Amino acid sequence: MTGEQVPGGATNRRPRTIITADPELDDLNSMIRLLLYSNELTIEGLIYASSRFHWKGDGAGTTFFLPDREYDAPQTSWRWAPGERFLDDAIDAYALVHENLARHAPGYPRPEELRAVVRAGNVAFEGDMSEETAGSRLIAEVLLDDGTEPVYLQNWAGTSTVARALLSIEERHAESADWAATKAAISRKAVILKFASQDGTYDDYIRPAWPDIRVVDVAVHAWGYGARSVALPEGSAMLGAGWMRRNVTERGPLGALYRVWGDGRQMVPGDPTDYFHLSGLSREELTAEGYWVWIDPSPAGEWISEGDTTNLLNLIPNGLRSHEHPSYGGWGGRAERTDEGPDTWSVAAAKDALPEGVASDPGASGGTASGGTGFGGVPSDEYSVTRWFAQAQRDFATRLHWSVTSDYGAANHHPVLSVHPGVDVAAAAGSRVVLRASAEDPDGGAVTLRWWQYREAGTLPVALELDGSDTAEVAFTLPPDAAAGGTVHVVVEARDGAEVPLVTYRRVIVTVH
């Protein structure tokens, strides 16, 4: 899929990205997923960062007070292991399987290329941006380089390292004659993705000083510790120990590194908030042992969290074009604008409607029904994310399978899909639009096509009647009163027939002229 040319002039270029992460187990799990998709991205930096949940300390014995916390006492560091290297550990595991991955898809970076962009960021204390660090300098250098394409700054931790990079740029260039142009260029280039605000630097510095940077808050339950509360039935089954064992934890070095309940490991030995290594104990028993029990325990082997994965998923160029605009939506959810700033967005604010009789197929929505509650009375507020969860998990499982076999013929691979006349179509109001898809399976199997309208992603409030939605050719008529500039989004899925099927997508955006 990497760099694939698609009709209509669009290119699935590899998005540029920098990741800042703290040593939470969900960051480790998200890192494992990132490495399996590293052939789809241009990874410019992997940076150790702090947050209100994790910081290293300054090494000089300085204490930092934890106000309003369960453990309310001065600390010299908080939930940070001596010699912390979880990013390096993940790359070490990746190095063991790199040759296998490269046999199944082009573009996987060499392990030494990834090691070359690992840096320590602003980790001394929560929200500390008092000094430049190797991580903040790397971010500043990338934002100031000659490239004009977006750089997606993924904040799996707090934003202090990104804030320090922007502050350094401001300090160096604010007095120059071309500062306004430089600031505008960086504001166009940087895209901040964040899982909420895990320290105060976004509110205190980035938002007031750099208001024109696009910011997308991706905080949702669907990929995190609360995934069970919002998962649809098929996705819920993929949180269980059986599915995790078959598809993840028994799949080679990367799978073995992935954290699940009761695995006997802690990110930081003795961490009173990390009881995930234990199994078979109740909330009361864990509390009696001195743990701060902030989420109910689950059986051994089950999913824990990949909370920061929503930063990543929409950057994967799978044909959904989700990185092109926050409102388009994709595996990481769809975002809607907020009033925090001129270009601020929130995934939690997007409310895709559950279709009537919603099936376990995460793509089986035309978005035509009214919202309400999902299965078991679960609110549908996160359907823009959960609708894709199961297929994203199948894709993840397939890539883990790639990692343990060098035999191309022993694994499944994505269908190849193209659309005529292209993925960007202009049409007159009232006109008949005909789209044709062509797909093949590189493994020689059958491919099933399905078209559906992503209503919430378009700007025209219309439910299209799709003729031929399960064939290679689909046709529909635009409303005669459709306003010029209005859009409808139509997605075609090419699904193979493997036991763990893969899907390739194309999103066609039809604009009324």
Short mmCIF file of all heavy atoms in Angstrom, two decimals, residues 37-73:
data_model
loop_
_atom_site.label_atom_id
_atom_site.label_comp_id
_atom_site.label_asym_id
_atom_site.label_seq_id
_atom_site.Cartn_x
_atom_site.Cartn_y
_atom_site.Cartn_z
N TYR A 37 3.32 -0.91 11.56
CA TYR A 37 2.87 -0.04 10.47
C TYR A 37 3.94 0.98 10.08
O TYR A 37 3.65 1.94 9.38
CB TYR A 37 1.58 0.68 10.89
CG TYR A 37 0.39 -0.24 10.92
CD1 TYR A 37 0.07 -0.95 12.06
CD2 TYR A 37 -0.40 -0.43 9.78
CE1 TYR A 37 -0.99 -1.83 12.10
CE2 TYR A 37 -1.47 -1.31 9.81
CZ TYR A 37 -1.76 -2.00 10.96
OH TYR A 37 -2.83 -2.88 10.97
N SER A 38 5.18 0.74 10.51
CA SER A 38 6.23 1.72 10.23
C SER A 38 6.55 1.83 8.75
O SER A 38 7.14 2.83 8.33
CB SER A 38 7.49 1.38 11.04
OG SER A 38 7.96 0.07 10.72
N ASN A 39 6.18 0.85 7.96
CA ASN A 39 6.37 0.96 6.51
C ASN A 39 5.38 1.92 5.87
O ASN A 39 5.56 2.33 4.72
CB ASN A 39 6.25 -0.41 5.85
CG ASN A 39 4.84 -0.99 5.93
OD1 ASN A 39 4.22 -0.94 7.00
ND2 ASN A 39 4.34 -1.53 4.84
N GLU A 40 4.32 2.27 6.59
CA GLU A 40 3.30 3.16 6.04
C GLU A 40 3.53 4.62 6.43
O GLU A 40 2.78 5.49 6.01
CB GLU A 40 1.92 2.74 6.57
CG GLU A 40 1.58 1.27 6.43
CD GLU A 40 1.26 0.86 5.01
OE1 GLU A 40 1.37 1.71 4.10
OE2 GLU A 40 0.91 -0.31 4.81
N LEU A 41 4.54 4.89 7.26
CA LEU A 41 4.77 6.22 7.80
C LEU A 41 6.23 6.62 7.62
O LEU A 41 7.10 5.76 7.43
CB LEU A 41 4.44 6.24 9.30
CG LEU A 41 3.05 5.77 9.71
CD1 LEU A 41 3.00 5.51 11.21
CD2 LEU A 41 2.00 6.78 9.31
N THR A 42 6.50 7.90 7.68
CA THR A 42 7.86 8.39 7.78
C THR A 42 8.05 8.85 9.22
O THR A 42 7.55 9.90 9.63
CB THR A 42 8.10 9.56 6.81
OG1 THR A 42 7.88 9.11 5.47
CG2 THR A 42 9.53 10.07 6.93
N ILE A 43 8.73 8.02 10.00
CA ILE A 43 8.90 8.29 11.42
C ILE A 43 10.13 9.16 11.61
O ILE A 43 11.27 8.72 11.40
CB ILE A 43 9.01 6.98 12.22
CG1 ILE A 43 7.72 6.16 12.06
CG2 ILE A 43 9.28 7.27 13.69
CD1 ILE A 43 7.77 4.78 12.69
N GLU A 44 9.91 10.41 12.00
CA GLU A 44 10.99 11.38 12.14
C GLU A 44 11.56 11.41 13.57
O GLU A 44 12.66 11.92 13.77
CB GLU A 44 10.48 12.78 11.79
CG GLU A 44 9.87 12.92 10.42
CD GLU A 44 10.90 13.17 9.34
OE1 GLU A 44 12.11 13.10 9.65
OE2 GLU A 44 10.51 13.44 8.19
N GLY A 45 10.82 10.90 14.54
CA GLY A 45 11.30 10.95 15.91
C GLY A 45 10.51 10.03 16.82
O GLY A 45 9.29 9.88 16.65
N LEU A 46 11.20 9.41 17.77
CA LEU A 46 10.59 8.60 18.82
C LEU A 46 11.17 9.13 20.12
O LEU A 46 12.36 8.92 20.42
CB LEU A 46 10.93 7.11 18.64
CG LEU A 46 10.38 6.46 17.36
CD1 LEU A 46 11.06 5.12 17.12
CD2 LEU A 46 8.87 6.28 17.46
N ILE A 47 10.35 9.81 20.91
CA ILE A 47 10.87 10.64 22.00
C ILE A 47 10.26 10.22 23.34
O ILE A 47 9.04 10.15 23.48
CB ILE A 47 10.57 12.12 21.71
CG1 ILE A 47 11.25 12.54 20.40
CG2 ILE A 47 11.02 13.00 22.87
CD1 ILE A 47 10.90 13.93 19.94
N TYR A 48 11.14 9.97 24.31
CA TYR A 48 10.70 9.75 25.67
C TYR A 48 10.19 11.07 26.24
O TYR A 48 10.87 12.09 26.18
CB TYR A 48 11.85 9.24 26.54
CG TYR A 48 12.29 7.84 26.22
CD1 TYR A 48 13.35 7.60 25.33
CD2 TYR A 48 11.68 6.75 26.82
CE1 TYR A 48 13.76 6.31 25.05
CE2 TYR A 48 12.09 5.45 26.53
CZ TYR A 48 13.13 5.24 25.64
OH TYR A 48 13.54 3.95 25.37
N ALA A 49 8.97 11.05 26.78
CA ALA A 49 8.34 12.28 27.27
C ALA A 49 7.72 12.03 28.64
O ALA A 49 7.52 10.89 29.07
CB ALA A 49 7.28 12.77 26.29
N SER A 50 7.37 13.11 29.31
CA SER A 50 6.74 13.03 30.63
C SER A 50 5.26 13.38 30.52
O SER A 50 4.77 13.80 29.48
CB SER A 50 7.42 14.00 31.60
OG SER A 50 7.27 15.34 31.15
N SER A 51 4.57 13.20 31.63
CA SER A 51 3.16 13.57 31.74
C SER A 51 2.86 13.72 33.22
O SER A 51 3.74 13.55 34.07
CB SER A 51 2.27 12.48 31.14
OG SER A 51 2.33 11.30 31.94
N ARG A 52 1.61 14.00 33.55
CA ARG A 52 1.25 14.05 34.96
C ARG A 52 1.28 12.66 35.60
O ARG A 52 1.26 12.52 36.82
CB ARG A 52 -0.13 14.69 35.14
CG ARG A 52 -1.30 13.85 34.64
CD ARG A 52 -2.61 14.62 34.68
NE ARG A 52 -2.94 15.05 36.01
CZ ARG A 52 -3.72 14.38 36.86
NH1 ARG A 52 -4.25 13.22 36.49
NH2 ARG A 52 -3.98 14.84 38.05
N PHE A 53 1.37 11.63 34.76
CA PHE A 53 1.37 10.26 35.25
C PHE A 53 2.77 9.65 35.34
O PHE A 53 2.97 8.64 36.00
CB PHE A 53 0.51 9.39 34.33
CG PHE A 53 -0.88 9.93 34.13
CD1 PHE A 53 -1.24 10.52 32.92
CD2 PHE A 53 -1.82 9.89 35.14
CE1 PHE A 53 -2.50 11.02 32.72
CE2 PHE A 53 -3.09 10.40 34.95
CZ PHE A 53 -3.44 10.98 33.73
N HIS A 54 3.73 10.24 34.63
CA HIS A 54 5.08 9.68 34.57
C HIS A 54 6.09 10.80 34.39
O HIS A 54 5.98 11.60 33.46
CB HIS A 54 5.23 8.72 33.37
CG HIS A 54 4.29 7.58 33.36
ND1 HIS A 54 4.56 6.37 33.97
CD2 HIS A 54 3.05 7.45 32.81
CE1 HIS A 54 3.53 5.55 33.78
NE2 HIS A 54 2.61 6.18 33.09
N TRP A 55 7.10 10.85 35.27
CA TRP A 55 8.23 11.74 35.05
C TRP A 55 9.45 11.20 35.77
O TRP A 55 9.36 10.49 36.77
CB TRP A 55 7.93 13.19 35.45
CG TRP A 55 7.06 13.38 36.67
CD1 TRP A 55 5.71 13.52 36.67
CD2 TRP A 55 7.47 13.46 38.03
NE1 TRP A 55 5.24 13.68 37.95
CE2 TRP A 55 6.30 13.66 38.81
CE3 TRP A 55 8.70 13.40 38.68
CZ2 TRP A 55 6.34 13.79 40.19
CZ3 TRP A 55 8.75 13.53 40.06
CH2 TRP A 55 7.57 13.72 40.79
N LYS A 56 10.61 11.54 35.24
CA LYS A 56 11.87 10.93 35.65
C LYS A 56 12.48 11.59 36.87
O LYS A 56 13.16 10.93 37.67
CB LYS A 56 12.85 10.98 34.48
CG LYS A 56 14.19 10.36 34.76
CD LYS A 56 15.10 10.47 33.54
CE LYS A 56 16.45 9.84 33.79
NZ LYS A 56 17.32 9.95 32.58
N GLY A 57 12.29 12.88 37.05
CA GLY A 57 13.05 13.63 38.04
C GLY A 57 14.32 14.19 37.42
O GLY A 57 14.72 13.81 36.32
N ASP A 58 14.95 15.11 38.11
CA ASP A 58 16.12 15.76 37.54
C ASP A 58 17.44 15.09 37.92
O ASP A 58 18.52 15.55 37.53
CB ASP A 58 16.16 17.24 37.93
CG ASP A 58 16.23 17.45 39.44
OD1 ASP A 58 16.35 16.46 40.19
OD2 ASP A 58 16.15 18.63 39.86
N GLY A 59 17.36 14.01 38.68
CA GLY A 59 18.58 13.31 39.06
C GLY A 59 19.37 13.99 40.16
O GLY A 59 20.43 13.50 40.57
N ALA A 60 18.88 15.13 40.65
CA ALA A 60 19.59 15.88 41.69
C ALA A 60 18.88 15.81 43.03
O ALA A 60 19.21 16.56 43.95
CB ALA A 60 19.73 17.34 41.25
N GLY A 61 17.89 14.94 43.14
CA GLY A 61 17.17 14.78 44.39
C GLY A 61 16.07 15.80 44.61
O GLY A 61 15.47 15.85 45.69
N THR A 62 15.77 16.61 43.59
CA THR A 62 14.70 17.60 43.72
C THR A 62 13.36 16.89 43.84
O THR A 62 13.07 15.96 43.09
CB THR A 62 14.69 18.53 42.49
OG1 THR A 62 15.98 19.12 42.35
CG2 THR A 62 13.64 19.61 42.64
N THR A 63 12.55 17.33 44.76
CA THR A 63 11.23 16.72 44.93
C THR A 63 10.18 17.53 44.20
O THR A 63 10.31 18.73 43.99
CB THR A 63 10.86 16.61 46.41
OG1 THR A 63 10.89 17.92 46.99
CG2 THR A 63 11.82 15.70 47.15
N PHE A 64 9.14 16.83 43.83
CA PHE A 64 8.02 17.44 43.11
C PHE A 64 6.76 16.99 43.81
O PHE A 64 6.58 15.80 44.09
CB PHE A 64 8.03 16.97 41.65
CG PHE A 64 7.04 17.65 40.75
CD1 PHE A 64 7.32 18.89 40.21
CD2 PHE A 64 5.83 17.04 40.43
CE1 PHE A 64 6.42 19.52 39.36
CE2 PHE A 64 4.93 17.66 39.59
CZ PHE A 64 5.22 18.91 39.05
N PHE A 65 5.90 17.93 44.13
CA PHE A 65 4.70 17.60 44.91
C PHE A 65 3.58 17.15 43.98
O PHE A 65 3.41 17.67 42.87
CB PHE A 65 4.25 18.83 45.69
CG PHE A 65 3.21 18.51 46.74
CD1 PHE A 65 3.51 17.66 47.79
CD2 PHE A 65 1.95 19.06 46.66
CE1 PHE A 65 2.56 17.36 48.76
CE2 PHE A 65 0.99 18.76 47.62
CZ PHE A 65 1.29 17.92 48.68
N LEU A 66 2.84 16.15 44.42
CA LEU A 66 1.72 15.63 43.66
C LEU A 66 0.41 16.12 44.29
O LEU A 66 -0.16 15.45 45.15
CB LEU A 66 1.73 14.09 43.66
CG LEU A 66 2.96 13.41 43.05
CD1 LEU A 66 2.87 11.92 43.24
CD2 LEU A 66 3.08 13.76 41.59
N PRO A 67 -0.08 17.27 43.91
CA PRO A 67 -1.31 17.78 44.53
C PRO A 67 -2.53 17.01 44.07
O PRO A 67 -2.65 16.62 42.91
CB PRO A 67 -1.36 19.23 44.03
CG PRO A 67 -0.62 19.21 42.74
CD PRO A 67 0.47 18.19 42.89
N ASP A 68 -3.42 16.79 45.02
CA ASP A 68 -4.70 16.16 44.71
C ASP A 68 -4.55 14.80 44.04
O ASP A 68 -5.34 14.43 43.17
CB ASP A 68 -5.55 17.08 43.82
CG ASP A 68 -5.78 18.43 44.47
OD1 ASP A 68 -6.01 18.46 45.68
OD2 ASP A 68 -5.71 19.45 43.75
N ARG A 69 -3.55 14.07 44.45
CA ARG A 69 -3.35 12.73 43.91
C ARG A 69 -3.61 11.70 45.00
O ARG A 69 -3.57 12.00 46.19
CB ARG A 69 -1.93 12.54 43.36
CG ARG A 69 -1.49 13.62 42.39
CD ARG A 69 -2.19 13.52 41.04
NE ARG A 69 -1.89 14.67 40.21
CZ ARG A 69 -0.82 14.78 39.46
NH1 ARG A 69 0.06 13.81 39.42
NH2 ARG A 69 -0.64 15.86 38.73
N GLU A 70 -3.84 10.48 44.59
CA GLU A 70 -4.07 9.41 45.55
C GLU A 70 -2.86 9.26 46.48
O GLU A 70 -2.99 9.01 47.67
CB GLU A 70 -4.34 8.10 44.80
CG GLU A 70 -4.66 6.91 45.70
CD GLU A 70 -6.07 6.97 46.25
OE1 GLU A 70 -6.87 7.81 45.78
OE2 GLU A 70 -6.38 6.18 47.15
N TYR A 71 -1.67 9.42 45.89
CA TYR A 71 -0.46 9.32 46.68
C TYR A 71 0.13 10.72 46.78
O TYR A 71 0.94 11.15 45.97
CB TYR A 71 0.51 8.32 46.05
CG TYR A 71 -0.09 6.94 46.05
CD1 TYR A 71 -0.82 6.48 44.96
CD2 TYR A 71 -0.01 6.13 47.18
CE1 TYR A 71 -1.43 5.23 44.99
CE2 TYR A 71 -0.62 4.88 47.22
CZ TYR A 71 -1.33 4.44 46.12
OH TYR A 71 -1.93 3.22 46.16
N ASP A 72 -0.35 11.46 47.78
CA ASP A 72 -0.12 12.89 47.89
C ASP A 72 1.12 13.13 48.75
O ASP A 72 1.04 13.38 49.94
CB ASP A 72 -1.35 13.54 48.51
CG ASP A 72 -1.41 15.03 48.25
OD1 ASP A 72 -0.58 15.52 47.49
OD2 ASP A 72 -2.30 15.67 48.83
N ALA A 73 2.28 13.06 48.10
CA ALA A 73 3.53 13.23 48.83
C ALA A 73 4.60 13.69 47.86
O ALA A 73 4.53 13.40 46.66
CB ALA A 73 3.94 11.92 49.49
#
